[in-house]
Amino acid sequence: MKDFFLSKKAVTMLQILKYIENAEISPTLKEIMTQISLPKITAIRYLKEIQQDLTELNPQLKLITNNNQYSVVYPADSSFSSTIFKLRYAYIVRTTKFQVMDALFRNNFSSIQSLSKTTNLSPSTIQNTIKSLKQYFEQFHVSISFRGNQNIIGKPLNVRVLMVYTYSAIYRGDLSPEFVANRSQYELTVKEHLSFSQRHQLKLLKAVTYFDLIQKKSPITLTPKLRQLLIAVNTSNPIMIKLPGFSEQILQDESLFFGFLLRLLSANYDTHTEKIAISKAILSLDTAFTNDVQQLLKDFFITFNLKQTKPYFLESFYYLAITLIYLEFISVDVTDFLEFSISMSAFENEQIDTDSVFRSLQHFLSEKAKIYPKLLNDTMGSMLYSLFFFLLDYNTRIKPLKINVQYTKNFYAANMISESLQDVFGSAITFIDRIDQADFIISDSYENAEELPGDFFLFNNIFNPHDWSTLLTTLLQQIYGKNFYKTLQIDLPTKYRYH
């Protein structure tokens, strides 16, 4: 759904641009045709259109060909990351879906005919577009109507979530919607030293929230249970919206919900210490919901033999509580807007055996769903599944890659190699004296590598930067393959082992 407003053609053109940018060597027309699966005539047409679209964004931004190889030339004030966001946005705002939806959010129309005059689209086009939009809105429990004073029909909280996730999927990079021109005059207390992306999400949330409050006069109302939980979440980095003309209760609910959505949309708004403080505040509520979440997490740690160190447990509780608060009290399916796609096939392509771990997680969640049916419902199973995959990975300590170093050209080089690699990779590696027990062997000699269980790397010259670069790359691949997805290396409980 995050690409709902993009046509298939636009998606393909963005794929072409990404391929040209990320290819090690500027690709030829034939390579683009093969990579994107396009016939020659279509590929040529799309490339010409991309060239035109880039020039419209910036006359100095050009798609060029040299020896039939395609590349992009960026002006000094531009880059691929900013360009891809702006081009994506340009493709979206051209669509009738966006134009109709944006008009419906910003104004109220008495009929399709009046909407047709505003958008300069035919009534038949609008009717077909609204059919598609209605299906899109359904997942948010929101509908479209021309029979009353409002075209967008639904609970204010659901409409807010619809707008926030829809516009955050459209406005990326440094782009943001302008709903209320004078919103900057209203005070909003937030933490300092935010990243660019955090400020962007904050700006988007503020735009949508103030639009609903100032222009639409449509505040949200939290249930007592949800309000109690969000007050606990808001104990660290509290957010306060101050607007004239609204009651203290409305502004409290708006502030609490704003802070909650910001944490869902923006990574690490809370520090490690603040996450632990929030977890403690939630646990101190001692309600049926918080106790069930705590017990579910304890069961998870016990089932998968995870060490229940207090900091890790509390930070894990933070992630689980935030997710389950959303699923329990808001329950609008936004999984298509986020990255919750875990597939065994992706691991199988890298020849990593994931079957036992994935099936173990499925078994655990299906068993616990019988005990906690409200917490672990099937509405957004992929979100829960990916969360517990993360919790399993996060709480599993890696087994360091065992390295043995041998060097014959001088007596101090081996120690130099060991110390330099330790500085780079830290606890992900360890050095051992027994070459026959090593996972990875570094040597300038032969070492009869075929007789040894570890992978062998021939390191010719410690004073050659290229040799060092190759060693670092190779070692990183070793660590990734053996340890990056730590959940794939754990010893599963007997009842969760599958063969």
Side-chain angles (χ1 to χ4, degrees), residues 454-491:
D455 292 306
F456 182 79
F457 181 85
L458 183 62
F459 194 6
N460 289 317
N461 188 346
I462 62 169
F463 300 107
N464 186 329
H466 179 266
D467 285 0
W468 274 104
S469 177
T470 305
L471 173 61
L472 291 171
T473 301
T474 305
L475 188 52
L476 181 60
Q477 290 172 342
Q478 288 280 325
I479 294 170
Y480 172 82
K482 290 184 168 65
N483 291 325
F484 186 76
Y485 282 101
K486 300 181 289 292
T487 54
L488 307 180
Q489 323 299 327
I490 66 170
D491 296 323

Side-chain angles (χ1 to χ4, degrees), residues 114-134:
S114 62
L115 176 57
S116 172
K117 290 179 182 178
T118 299
T119 57
N120 292 319
L121 297 169
S122 69
S124 60
T125 298
I126 289 178
Q127 284 179 330
N128 289 330
T129 302
I130 285 177
K131 285 181 183 178
S132 181
L133 285 173
K134 281 183 175 180

Side-chain angles (χ1 to χ4, degrees), residues 51-70:
Q51 194 171 36
Q52 294 170 356
D53 294 335
L54 291 176
T55 303
E56 286 181 13
L57 291 179
N58 187 328
Q60 304 302 316
L61 186 60
K62 297 178 180 179
L63 174 66
I64 63 171
T65 55
N66 185 15
N67 295 326
N68 194 34
Q69 292 178 298
Y70 287 83

Side-chain angles (χ1 to χ4, degrees), residues 42-220:
T42 305
I44 292 173
R45 186 174 78 252
Y46 282 6
L47 286 162
K48 286 183 178 179
E49 289 187 35
I50 291 171
Q51 194 171 36
Q52 294 170 356
D53 294 335
L54 291 176
T55 303
E56 286 181 13
L57 291 179
N58 187 328
Q60 304 302 316
L61 186 60
K62 297 178 180 179
L63 174 66
I64 63 171
T65 55
N66 185 15
N67 295 326
N68 194 34
Q69 292 178 298
Y70 287 83
S71 61
V72 180
V73 176
Y74 299 96
D77 60 344
S78 186
S79 65
F80 169 72
S81 58
S82 63
T83 300
I84 198 73
F85 287 132
K86 289 176 181 177
L87 191 61
R88 183 180 182 277
Y89 172 74
Y91 290 155
I92 287 174
V93 297
R94 294 176 189 174
T95 66
T96 58
K97 289 179 183 177
F98 174 82
Q99 293 167 23
V100 171
M101 181 203 71
D102 198 52
L104 287 171
F105 276 132
R106 292 174 184 271
N107 302 284
N108 292 319
F109 299 92
S110 59
S111 65
I112 286 179
Q113 286 70 26
S114 62
L115 176 57
S116 172
K117 290 179 182 178
T118 299
T119 57
N120 292 319
L121 297 169
S122 69
S124 60
T125 298
I126 289 178
Q127 284 179 330
N128 289 330
T129 302
I130 285 177
K131 285 181 183 178
S132 181
L133 285 173
K134 281 183 175 180
Q135 293 179 344
Y136 175 77
F137 283 14
E138 276 180 5
Q139 67 177 312
F140 295 89
H141 313 300
V142 174
S143 60
I144 301 172
S145 174
F146 291 91
R147 295 179 180 177
N149 296 327
Q150 297 288 335
N151 298 135
I152 310 297
I153 309 300
K155 294 179 180 178
L157 187 146
N158 290 351
V159 176
R160 183 74 56 80
V161 174
L162 164 61
M163 290 188 69
V164 166
Y165 276 94
T166 298
Y167 282 100
S168 66
I170 294 170
Y171 290 87
R172 298 179 177 180
D174 57 356
L175 300 167
S176 62
E178 291 296 332
F179 289 124
V180 182
N182 61 345
R183 70 176 186 271
S184 60
Q185 67 180 286
Y186 301 113
E187 185 179 351
L188 177 67
T189 56
V190 294
K191 67 183 290 187
E192 297 179 346
H193 310 300
L194 297 176
S195 69
F196 181 90
S197 61
Q198 287 174 326
R199 290 196 306 273
H200 173 73
Q201 296 293 55
L202 177 68
K203 187 177 179 181
L204 187 141
L205 260 174
K206 190 176 180 181
V208 173
T209 300
Y210 283 23
F211 173 71
D212 265 356
L213 289 173
I214 297 171
Q215 194 160 323
K216 288 288 189 178
K217 308 296 183 185
S218 182
I220 62 161

